Amino acid sequence: MGHSIAEEVAEIRDLLKTREYASGELSDALKKARRRLPRRVYKQGMLLAKAEPLMDHPKLRLTLDEPALLKSAGEVLDYLKSIDLADRRKGRVLTILGSLAFSLLVVLGLAIAVMRWRGLI
């Protein structure tokens, strides 16, 4: 646990950029990725984002609860490292194929209904 809070925040920012495609300041990146993050992970990340400006100030830094912030950073890092990009891509492809198949079934059903209605079947 030799990492400082600033190093942990930098690593979180990098992981958000590579895994969630959300870059910028930590609070902005978290807001961009909010829908894809669990509520608890988002809240822990926002705690870090609120504490980030205080980390640079020597006296205000003493007001931070470092063990709690390190625990929050660890939780966010654990979640971001557990994201499987290949599985996420596969899920996206399957979602597209599922909606395409559903649309095709609806069109075929409507075509059969119209042909029956007109007496062609």
Side-chain angles (χ1 to χ4, degrees), residues 59-71:
K59 287 191 177 183
L60 292 178
R61 182 185 182 102
L62 299 174
T63 66
L64 296 176
D65 184 9
E66 288 204 29
L69 289 174
L70 283 172
K71 183 180 176 202

Side-chain angles (χ1 to χ4, degrees), residues 85-104:
L85 294 176
D87 185 50
R88 189 174 274 185
R89 268 192 298 272
K90 194 182 339 176
R92 212 174 281 138
V93 168
L94 288 175
T95 300
I96 291 170
L97 289 176
S99 65
L100 192 64
F102 177 74
S103 299
L104 188 62

Side-chain angles (χ1 to χ4, degrees), residues 69-87:
L69 289 174
L70 283 172
K71 183 180 176 202
S72 296
E75 193 172 324
V76 174
L77 281 171
D78 288 344
Y79 175 77
L80 290 174
K81 287 178 181 176
S82 73
I83 294 173
D84 185 7
L85 294 176
D87 185 50

Side-chain angles (χ1 to χ4, degrees), residues 18-78:
T18 57
R19 304 271 170 114
E20 293 292 340
Y21 307 107
S23 58
E25 292 295 318
L26 183 60
S27 60
D28 296 336
L30 285 167
K31 287 175 186 172
K32 288 177 189 173
R34 183 177 188 167
R35 290 180 61 219
R36 296 181 302 272
L37 295 175
R39 182 177 298 148
R40 179 166 174 76
V41 171
Y42 174 76
K43 285 182 179 180
Q44 298 293 334
M46 288 307 287
L47 282 176
L48 290 168
K50 287 178 185 171
E52 191 175 19
L54 303 177
M55 288 182 219
D56 297 332
H57 195 280
K59 287 191 177 183
L60 292 178
R61 182 185 182 102
L62 299 174
T63 66
L64 296 176
D65 184 9
E66 288 204 29
L69 289 174
L70 283 172
K71 183 180 176 202
S72 296
E75 193 172 324
V76 174
L77 281 171
D78 288 344

